[in-house]
Structure formats: C-alpha cells, structure tokens
Amino acid sequence: MNLRVGIIGVSQTKYETNKSYQAITDTVFEVVQEAMADAGVSREDVDSIVTSSVDLWDGRTASNQMLTDVVGAIMKSESRVAGDGLGATFQGMMTILCGASDLTLVVSQCRGSMGDPYGISNWVFDPIFQQPLGLDYLSAAALQANHYMKRFEITQEDCARVVVKNLNDAQNNPQAQVAKETTTDDVMHSPMWAYPIKEMDAAPVSDGACAIVLASQKKAKALSKNPVWILGAGCCVEAHYLGDRDLTEGEALAKASKKAYEMAGIHDPVKELDLAEVSAEFSYQELLWTELMGFCGRGNGIKFLEQGMTSAEGALPVNPSGGMIAGNPVTVAGLTRLVEAVLQVRGKAEARQVQNAKMALAHGTTGCCGQGQYVMIVGN
Amino acid sequence: MGRRTAIIGTGQTRHCSKREDVNQMELVYEAATAALKDAEMTVKDIDAVVLANMELFEGRALPDMWCGEGAGAFMKHAFKISTGGTSGTSGAISGYYHVASGLFNTAMVVGFEKHSDGNTSAGMALTDPFWDRHIAAAAIGNFALSVSEYMADRGVTEEQSAKVAVKARRNACNNPHAHLQMPDLTVKEVLESPMLAYPVHRLEMCPQSDGACAIIYAGEELAKKKCSRPAWVRAAVTRHDHIYLGEVKNRLSTIRSLKEAARVAYKMVGIKEPLKEFDVAEIYDPLTYAEIAWYEALGFCKDREGGRLIDDGLTRMDGELPVNPSGGVISTNPVGASGTIRVAEGALQIHGKGGKRQVPDVNLVLVTGYGVYCWSDVMILSGRPD
Amino acid sequence: MKKDNQLEELLRIPVHMKLHYRFPAGTHYTRFFREMKDSGKIMGVKCTQCGRVLVPPRPVCGECFVKTGDWVPVGPKGTVKAYTSIYIKFIDGSTGKPRPSPYGSGLIQLDGAFSTINHILEEGDPEKLYIGMRVEAVLKEKREGNIGDILFFKTIT
Ligand SMILES: [Zn+2]
C-alpha cells in the first residue's frame, strides 16, 4: 500500500457472561464515545461508519438498524458487514483508501447471552446436507480437532496447555471474562462436550462490543501523535462443505496471512512480529492457526507452545490478552483481537504489555472451522 | 480520490416468485456465471467477491459461507454486506471500494434473495422486539401510513400512482429477466386490484421475487482492455436516517437520506439539472407512490410536481428521462438483489446491451437504493471516466 | 428452467426454525413499560440538546448524539398524523391470531411528544379516518408491562 490507513482510537467493553443489565444501544454508545474520545474526534469529524453483526445472533432483521442512533450514523454513511469485526475493518480500510472517507468508525457488538449460540451456528451450515445433521460450531470443531490431533499426535493434555496459558495470562487483562490460575488437570477434568473438546477447551458465551476509529494517512498524522498503521491485510474464504476440506489443512488462513505478510514486508513472522492476537474459539485451534500462519512447522504448534515461544515473554507471544478462551462475543472477536494488537503497539496494554511491541498481528475468523479467515498486521 | 473503476460485466437470473429448480447457492451461481460470460472473463480473473442478501428472510446465518462458492469466492477475499433494502446497492458500493482502493484489480458483487425458501413476512416482522412486533403490519402497513401523509402533503392522486404501476409493468415486458410483465395493464386494473392497506393496492406494491444479480468491477487499465464501453463509477454515496417510523415527519416527502446522498453525488459529478443531464435513472421504487416521491427528492422536478411528471410521460421510455426501463423494483424484487439490479441495469444501458429496453445514447445514469424507510444509496455511472 | 412436471419431481426439504431469545430491554424500555403497567402513564424522554420529546423513550438522541434527559408524561390523548386500514392478514403478536381485517393503523402524535408512534386505531374505515383526528390510548385492565398494554387508540371528539 502506498497510502496507509491509521488506527487512531480504540475501545472495548469488558466481556461478560451476561450484560442484560444494559440495553445493546447503551453498551454500543459507551464504546463508540470512548473510541472517539481516544481518537480526540467528535461525531462531526466522522465521515462513515461500518458495523458488523449478524441478524440471527441479534434475533432481529437488518439488526444494524438498531445501532443507527448510537453509532452516530444519522445523516452519515453506514454499511454493515454481516460477519466478523475484522471484515468490517476491511470495509472501513477500503472506504478510506478509495478516498470516500477520511475518518471511519468501525463498530461491532454481540450478545451471546441473548440466544443459544451453538443453536444459531447450526443455521450457518447449508440447509440441504449439513444443517439437518445437527452440525454446529462445537460438533464441527470436534471433528476438526480429532483429525488434527490424530494426524500430528497431539494429546488432549497438549490442548489443555493452551487453555492454561490463556486463562493465566487473562489475569493481566481487566476486560477478560474468564481469568484464573488454571492447571491442565482443571481442563482435563472439565465436562466433556464433544470429544475431545471439553468445557474449558471452548470459549465462553460472551457479551461485548468494540469500536475503533480509522483515519486516512493525512488525517491520522494530523490528529494523532502516534497512530498505529495497518501495514498488511489479507482475507480468504475456503470451501463450505466440511467434506470438501482437509480439516487439518487451512489454505484460507495460509493464503490470508501470506498476503498480509507480503503487504507488510514480513519474511519471518516469528522474528518480525512482536505478538499475535489470534481468534481461536477452541484450544486446538490456537495450535492449528499458529502453524498455518507460519509461526512454526506443521504439527509443531504444541512444541512451539511448550518451548514458551507463545508465552507472554516468549519470542512471539500469542494472545497475551487471554484470547477468545477468555471472552468470545461472536462477530466481535476479530475486532477485539485488533484492539488488543493496537493497545500493544501503542505500549498501553498495561499488565499484559509485551515489551517493545512494535508490530502485531490480529486474526479473525468467520464461519465454521476457520472457513473464512482475516489477518491484519499493525505497527507504528 | 481512488483509482478509476468501472463495471465491465453484469448478469441476472430469471426472476419469479418461486425458483424451485435451484437452491440459493445455485441461484448465485446462475447470476455470477452470466456476469462472467458478459465480461468475457473466468472465475480466475476475479480477485474479490462481495455478497449482498437479507439473510433472515431465508432464515440463514452467514449465508455467504455456503453461497459464496456459487459466486466463485472459493479461496478468495469475500464477505457479505447486509443493510436491509439497500443491501444490493451497499454491496455494489463495497465492490467499488474494493477496486477503487487499489487493493484488488477486479471484484464481483452478487446480490441474491430466495424469498420462497423462507418466510419473508416473518423476517420483516422481526423488527424492534419491544415495540413494532406487536403492531406493525410489516413493510406494507408502514408504507401505507407514509403514503397517507405524502398524499396529504403533496396532493398526489391515486391515478398518478397507478400510472407508475402501468409504466413499470409495461417496461418490464422489454426485460427478459423481469418478474411481473403486464403489457396490457391499465390504470383501472391497478386501482381495482385488491386493497392491501389503504390506499395501497396489490398492483402498486413490489412483489417478492426469487433471483440474483451480479456485477463485475475492474480498475481503469483492465476495464479499458476488457470492455469497449465501461460504465465508470463517478459517485457512490450512502446516507442513513432515523429508524423509528415516527421520528421523521412526512417520511416520503422528507426522505432526507436520499436528498442528502443525491446532493453529495450530484456535486461530485457537477449535476445541476438532473432531469436534463441524466439519460436514464434506475431508482429503487418499493411502491408506486415512492417513485413519485423520489422524483421530487432527486430534484427531477419541484416539490408537488412528481405527479405531473408521470402525467406528462416525462419518465416513460420515450420521455425526457426514462425511469426504470427495467420495470423497477415494483416489477422485480429479490430484496438483497434489488439494489444490485438497479446498478446492473444502469451499467447495461451504458454498455449498450439493454436490448429492447435500451435507451439511445446513454452516457450518464442515476442509480438509487432504499431500505427500511431510512437508508439511501446513490450511485452515478457514466460512459466517460471523468 | 425445468418443465413443470420435472419441477414436481424435485425434493423440498422442510426445515423448521425455533430459536429463543431474551432481549435486554435496558433502562429506558424497562421504565417505560413499568410506568405504564403500574400507573397507566405513557412516558417520553426529552433530549437535553434539541428538546425533542421522544417516544418510545431511548437512551440516546440520534440527531444530537447525546444522552437523553428528563422523563415527561405524554398523551394519553393524541393526534393522528398518518393512517391506513390494513386489509391483508396480519398475525397479532400479542394473541398469535390473525387480527380481524380491515383494521385501522396510525401514526399518533401523543400530546406533548415530538415523535409519533405506530399503533392500532379503533376506527378501521378509511373513509372515516383523517389526518388531524383526535384519539386517546385505551389501556388494558390487567397490564403486563409490554407494548400490548396499549390496546388501541379510540376516537374522541
Ligand atoms: Zn436531540
């Protein structure tokens, strides 16, 4: 990219099991105001807004319309990406790069507590072959987990180590929903949900919202002393039918990350990236995704973790925030990862700060078993 | 501004109330392959895919995951835009951003809706759970309310409304893709069709159609190479307004989201006299009265003169500014695709591929999208890049 | 397009949708419905900036992008600003049964409110309905704390 897009404001809520003490509009108004304040801008400065949400998760049609007032969209441009928050960020970035907007607000919200998240995820599968089988994000992930674990001889204890790392690290993150001193025994003894995935291997059901302010290069420099730049971005979608895919491979993620690395001029992600915030809804996915993004060789995800490479003090910390295992509002998740990456690069990640973080990766995913993948690289 | 970008191919399915011969993904495939054929391209030439659809009408979550393959999204950058009735135009605007941003050389947008797969009335009724669900009679009831205000405010008549229906369904006969084709429809028949919600008759409303529409964008270099007369995007503007029906007075005549989007778009292109300067308009007319209201909002005439425009035949095929040669939304309405169809039909006129609905010597085209009483998209396409 | 007899041979796969949601009403809807249930009062909120009284009440004035302020009683009388008679079948959300048609529907500006609300009118004959007609909210005897507590608006003179 010859012209860059800057991120000059970020905000996220605390992630909670149930935010029903607050209307969705109240939650969103809060994060939007915080992100604008963080960027030092007001509604008058904002040219366009991109939201991300999915009707079935919100239980209403054209569900972005309920946010019109609170994202400040009256008599402004608003568009909605019906998918992950990183997808909305993509749309926002393109809006700026093509000159249609100088300042774009990206907002994502979800209330997992409102409905039955796994039940809703059944409606993602095609209605002819897969949906009637009762597949949902959990049962499909269990298929992927077994295949991956068998192929690379990964044990359930190995996956549990991912949870241990994330829940322990999440204690440094005041926004985390689940954060506690955890042992592999705790994970191994949690109830089996869909073999080999146990309760603690899975991200919790969460409520939460995020907002960021994107700015054109010129505007970002004018408004911000230390804008964080989007240096690279890639997105890719692979086959829908699980049977069309080798679930232990992930060509979409490999391709999306390659594209992002190319744009950012990254040759060796482990050396050049200072941390990665990865959307792994289940523990095994963190291992699988880190392999597919080229952090380590295939099947070495667990070795990479055991060597401490992905720990908060490691060569390439993965999810110092605790990741999705510590909080997972569906359709927001990727934007949460981006907010965390920005905070790290700004040096404002407080107790979870990675030393000298200059370049970070944020990853988002949509659909089942990582069918759709987003990778963004941010840096100062 | 971003890089010069043009539409170089369009494709539509056949539209009707039940396309039981295909599933949603196959419907998308039908439109996508038609657009690729039109642009003389293969799926390998497409860098990014944008889908547009109102997923709750079919009761799906993330339908782009399944249907994307029909649009050739496999192993490509792809996502879905969903903004109510404007989904199809907002998706088209997003596709434009993809290429104009310089990130992609080509992008395909596919708008689709398969109403017969689900329950659109139920989907429409799922509005504000605290307020509207108990009371609203879906889109039709809300439209009828706005119409009563509009008639009182602007003095438009039932006959003028019915004339819009006649124009639309006759134009649709020239469009092989159109759903409702009625060559002999009369004003009397329109006004004698069943009353849905006073004063709106069945033949004054849009139908529910199954269908899909695809458009292909390319950056300047490729567009010039691939297409003898590319349809250049000269403006693409979105504006939103309040969602509560009661927060805007006289919604049809006020429609400030459309007025503001048009004002900004006209300024970008330097349009001063839209009725004279545009050669064709493809506007999103959910019902006849809205088309007349949009004439006024888009500055085709002064306020209160929309009815006269239709009386004088200025927006007929042989008029000063033909509006909806395709038959418009009131002839064909697969919601997620309805906006994309407007853009495709506009581009088609510039490509000179309009067949029996072709308007001679088209250079400048106005396209609009409309959603949920409050959202408006405006695009201006041209045979010249600047 | 296949011939009709070929279409007949194609399978249709029925899928039934049953999903349950719990919508958080938040402070504003909660107070609105409580107040109506307990005291029979219809309330709006006033924007601190533009002064518009918004019904239904909401936490943010979209026009001004600020939190709304004081609660003010509105109605129960009001003026019809737009009307229609609905002839199509419509399932009444509160009974689950089709409402007898035609029935009147209107945008009613409650006295003291800026915005109008969409509700059922007692009068269903389009010939008798007009913009500017005066109406009054009729509330349920046993109120439950939802919008169904307003049964309809009756015509007054
Ligand atoms: Zn205000």
Side-chain angles (χ1 to χ4, degrees):
Chain A
M1 272 187 284
N2 32 11
L3 276 177
R4 280 174 180 165
V5 170
I7 303 174
I8 62 167
V10 294
S11 174
Q12 60 182 330
T13 62
K14 181 171 170 59
Y15 302 102
E16 294 176 275
T17 310
N18 194 329
K19 276 186 185 292
S20 64
Y21 57 85
Q22 213 179 23
I24 293 169
T25 43
D26 286 309
T27 308
V28 172
F29 190 58
E30 265 174 38
V31 283
V32 164
Q33 282 196 313
E34 283 167 14
M36 284 185 184
D38 186 37
V41 300
S42 65
R43 179 173 62 140
E44 286 65 42
D45 304 312
V46 174
D47 297 318
S48 65
I49 298 117
V50 186
T51 57
S52 87
S53 59
V54 172
D55 285 356
L56 261 188
W57 265 279
D58 289 338
R60 59 184 286 172
T61 197
S63 67
N64 55 321
Q65 62 173 312
M66 70 177 157
L67 302 181
T68 305
D69 286 348
V70 291
V71 299
I74 301 298
M75 295 317 288
K76 290 193 192 286
S77 163
E78 190 253 347
S79 195
R80 170 177 61 163
V81 173
D84 186 65
L86 267 192
T89 309
F90 250 95
Q91 165 88 357
M93 179 177 77
M94 293 187 287
T95 310
I96 289 172
L97 287 175
C98 77
S101 175
D102 273 331
L103 210 72
T104 300
L105 177 71
V106 180
V107 185
S108 187
Q109 76 80 27
C110 192
R111 289 286 176 96
S113 69
M114 253 172 54
D116 165 12
Y118 288 132
I120 291 166
S121 71
N122 175 247
W123 293 83
V124 174
F125 293 86
D126 83 276
I128 299 158
F129 290 101
Q130 299 184 117
Q131 188 183 14
L133 297 172
L135 278 171
D136 58 20
Y137 280 5
L138 173 66
S139 54
L143 297 172
Q144 185 175 40
N146 276 315
H147 196 179
Y148 167 68
M149 289 161 73
K150 169 90 177 152
R151 176 173 163 191
F152 296 110
E153 294 171 355
I154 314 280
T155 64
Q156 291 187 48
E157 285 80 0
D158 291 338
C159 295
R161 285 185 190 105
V162 175
V163 182
V164 169
K165 168 179 80 67
N166 285 342
L167 292 185
N168 287 341
D169 286 352
Q171 294 177 86
N172 295 323
N173 178 5
Q175 315 300 347
Q177 175 179 333
V178 188
K180 56 186 174 191
E181 206 56 47
T182 304
T183 66
T184 48
D185 270 0
D186 296 337
V187 183
M188 293 303 290
H189 288 121
S190 67
M192 183 64 72
W193 276 5
Y195 183 88
I197 296 173
K198 294 168 293 299
E199 186 179 7
M200 287 186 74
D201 288 306
V205 173
S206 308
D207 292 356
C210 275
I212 63 170
V213 179
L214 299 176
S216 63
Q217 186 162 325
K218 204 173 147 196
K219 200 97 176 185
K221 281 182 175 162
L223 286 168
S224 175
K225 263 183 261 161
N226 51 351
V228 173
W229 303 103
I230 299 177
L231 304 174
C235 158
C236 187
V237 177
E238 58 184 281
H240 177 66
Y241 291 100
L242 295 177
D244 286 355
R245 295 166 58 184
D246 177 342
L247 293 174
T248 67
E249 295 292 337
E251 289 152 351
L253 184 52
K255 192 173 170 181
S257 52
K258 191 163 163 264
K259 172 110 186 260
Y261 296 159
E262 271 171 21
M263 277 169 81
I266 292 174
H267 302 287
D268 182 345
V270 179
K271 275 201 186 127
E272 293 168 70
L273 289 171
D274 298 307
L275 73 132
E277 279 285 340
V278 172
S279 287
E281 195 181 349
F282 303 97
S283 55
Y284 78 92
Q285 283 181 347
E286 185 172 306
L287 303 174
L288 179 55
W289 298 163
T290 50
E291 295 170 20
L292 294 167
M293 286 190 285
F295 296 177
C296 57
R298 289 310 318 273
N300 290 340
I302 185 60
K303 233 179 264 164
F304 199 61
L305 179 137
E306 281 175 337
Q307 289 163 355
M309 302 290 271
T310 60
S311 72
E313 305 78 29
L316 177 52
V318 172
N319 290 339
S321 67
M324 278 164 91
I325 297 287
N328 169 37
V330 194
T331 76
V332 178
L335 200 57
T336 306
R337 308 274 72 77
L338 184 61
V339 168
E340 285 291 331
V342 169
L343 290 174
Q344 289 284 356
V345 170
R346 281 181 177 177
K348 302 276 187 202
E350 297 172 340
R352 59 195 185 283
Q353 181 65 48
V354 172
Q355 288 300 306
N356 293 320
K358 290 193 175 62
M359 205 188 317
L361 178 149
H363 160 254
T365 172
T366 185
C368 163
C369 297
Q371 192 199 338
Q373 300 279 9
Y374 298 100
V375 175
M376 252 181 210
I377 313 288
V378 293
N380 48 21
Chain B
M1 274 308 284
R3 131 163 96 163
R4 289 171 171 175
T5 300
I7 297 168
I8 62 165
T10 71
Q12 289 179 55
T13 60
R14 202 177 73 80
H15 298 93
C16 62
S17 52
K18 278 189 183 181
R19 283 293 308 269
E20 291 193 304
D21 57 323
V22 287
N23 64 35
Q24 252 187 299
M25 196 251 269
E26 292 160 351
L27 193 68
V28 168
Y29 177 77
E30 196 177 313
T33 45
L36 287 170
K37 191 175 167 215
D38 183 47
E40 294 175 19
M41 291 168 102
T42 71
V43 72
K44 289 199 182 82
D45 300 318
I46 303 297
D47 298 334
V49 172
V50 179
L51 293 139
N53 154 271
M54 282 303 296
E55 57 205 57
L56 215 54
F57 292 169
E58 292 92 354
R60 314 296 321 156
L62 302 170
D64 44 322
M65 292 290 108
W66 172 41
C67 301
E69 276 170 46
F74 175 65
M75 290 310 287
K76 293 198 169 98
H77 172 108
F79 60 55
K80 185 169 83 75
I81 297 284
S82 189
T83 61
T86 45
S87 295
T89 37
S90 294
I93 290 175
S94 174
Y96 161 69
Y97 290 163
H98 277 71
V99 176
S101 67
L103 290 180
F104 302 93
N105 254 324
T106 59
M108 176 151 68
V109 179
V110 187
F112 63 103
E113 207 72 71
K114 200 154 181 291
H115 290 282
S116 71
D117 271 15
N119 186 338
T120 303
S121 311
M124 291 278 252
L126 293 176
T127 52
D128 183 334
F130 307 105
W131 195 268
D132 285 340
R133 282 183 197 189
H134 290 266
I135 305 155
I140 170 70
N142 288 333
F143 277 131
L145 289 170
S146 307
V147 167
S148 77
E149 285 177 301
Y150 179 62
M151 289 177 91
D153 186 39
R154 296 281 164 88
V156 68
T157 66
E158 282 197 324
E159 284 70 26
Q160 287 166 336
S161 159
K163 281 179 191 171
V164 175
V166 170
K167 169 179 79 74
R169 273 53 175 270
R170 287 189 185 172
N171 283 356
C173 300
N174 295 325
N175 176 4
H177 301 285
H179 178 180
L180 296 179
Q181 304 178 344
M182 303 179 174
D184 306 314
L185 186 67
T186 63
V187 166
K188 190 162 170 277
E189 281 168 344
V190 174
L191 295 179
E192 282 172 0
S193 65
M195 184 70 82
L196 299 176
Y198 180 86
V200 181
H201 300 84
R202 182 176 302 283
L203 284 173
E204 290 170 310
M205 267 307 281
C206 56
Q208 286 176 8
S209 316
D210 284 358
C213 174
I215 54 179
I216 295 172
Y217 287 102
E220 180 169 14
E221 211 172 297
L222 186 67
K224 284 180 171 163
K225 207 167 93 190
K226 293 291 294 184
C227 185
S228 58
R229 195 169 156 74
W232 300 97
V233 178
R234 300 285 300 279
V237 184
T238 302
R239 285 293 179 272
H240 277 217
D241 206 345
H242 296 287
I243 65 150
Y244 287 101
L245 194 64
E247 200 165 338
V248 177
K249 311 289 171 198
N250 292 330
R251 212 169 252 278
L252 281 180
S253 33
T254 305
I255 191 78
R256 49 175 197 169
S257 59
L258 184 61
K259 284 180 186 165
E260 178 63 10
R263 188 190 65 78
V264 174
Y266 291 178
K267 198 175 159 201
M268 287 166 89
V269 184
I271 303 286
K272 292 192 176 64
E273 294 181 88
L275 189 74
K276 284 204 182 112
E277 292 175 70
F278 287 116
D279 302 307
V280 178
E282 276 288 340
I283 66 178
Y284 195 114
D285 52 341
L287 81 169
T288 49
Y289 288 95
E291 181 164 322
I292 300 174
W294 301 167
Y295 291 170
E296 297 171 4
L298 291 166
F300 297 172
C301 58
K302 294 199 186 90
D303 288 353
R304 308 186 65 84
E305 288 182 359
R308 183 185 61 78
L309 231 57
I310 196 83
D311 282 338
D312 294 351
L314 292 177
T315 56
R316 282 200 316 235
M317 278 306 279
D318 55 357
E320 174 146 24
L321 172 58
V323 174
N324 295 349
S326 64
V329 178
I330 62 167
S331 300
T332 311
N333 183 36
V335 170
S338 292
T340 320
I341 294 173
R342 304 280 72 69
V343 183
E345 287 287 334
L348 198 74
Q349 291 285 349
I350 290 170
H351 294 158
K353 292 178 180 173
K356 281 191 336 196
R357 63 191 184 287
Q358 179 69 45
V359 174
D361 306 321
V362 173
N363 178 50
L364 209 56
V365 177
L366 174 69
V367 170
T368 76
Y370 165 89
V372 206
Y373 329 118
C374 46
W375 305 340
S376 297
D377 284 328
V378 170
M379 286 180 86
I380 297 175
L381 306 176
S382 171
R384 286 192 287 270
D386 46 29
Chain C
M1 192 70 191
K2 312 246 179 350
K3 297 249 170 58
D4 281 354
N5 56 348
Q6 286 173 292
L7 265 180
E8 287 300 313
E9 288 164 14
L10 299 174
L11 290 175
R12 279 80 171 163
I13 299 170
V15 180
H16 298 285
M17 194 164 212
K18 202 169 189 186
L19 290 167
H20 299 275
Y21 296 91
R22 295 165 295 275
F23 292 101
T27 49
H28 282 63
Y29 273 131
T30 299
R31 176 157 174 197
F32 177 81
F33 290 131
R34 285 248 166 87
E35 196 94 38
M36 191 154 68
K37 184 181 177 209
D38 298 343
S39 69
K41 271 196 208 149
I42 307 174
M43 305 289 285
V45 285
K46 191 167 185 169
C47 173
T48 51
Q49 204 159 311
C50 67
R52 299 184 309 160
V53 175
L54 303 173
V55 190
R58 64 209 78 159
V60 174
C61 171
E63 204 68 37
C64 307
F65 200 58
V66 295
K67 288 234 178 206
T68 48
D70 292 341
W71 287 74
V72 287
V74 293
K77 291 180 181 166
T79 306
V80 171
K81 291 290 183 181
Y83 66 90
T84 178
S85 295
I86 310 276
Y87 287 74
I88 50 171
K89 269 206 193 113
F90 175 68
I91 305 292
D92 185 336
S94 50
T95 63
K97 288 175 193 151
R99 207 183 280 281
S101 69
Y103 65 90
S105 164
L107 287 181
I108 299 125
Q109 186 169 35
L110 292 164
D111 293 348
F114 166 83
S115 34
T116 59
I117 59 165
N118 185 356
H119 218 292
I120 312 293
L121 299 174
E122 176 191 34
E123 180 58 67
D125 181 353
E127 299 300 320
K128 291 181 187 157
L129 288 163
Y130 61 96
I131 290 174
M133 76 189 276
R134 294 285 292 162
V135 291
E136 182 173 354
V138 176
L139 302 189
K140 253 188 202 164
E141 288 278 311
K142 284 188 182 152
R143 294 187 288 274
E144 295 157 37
N146 59 48
I147 190 60
D149 286 350
I150 303 178
L151 287 169
F152 55 84
F153 280 79
K154 70 174 180 190
T155 311
I156 55 173
T157 43

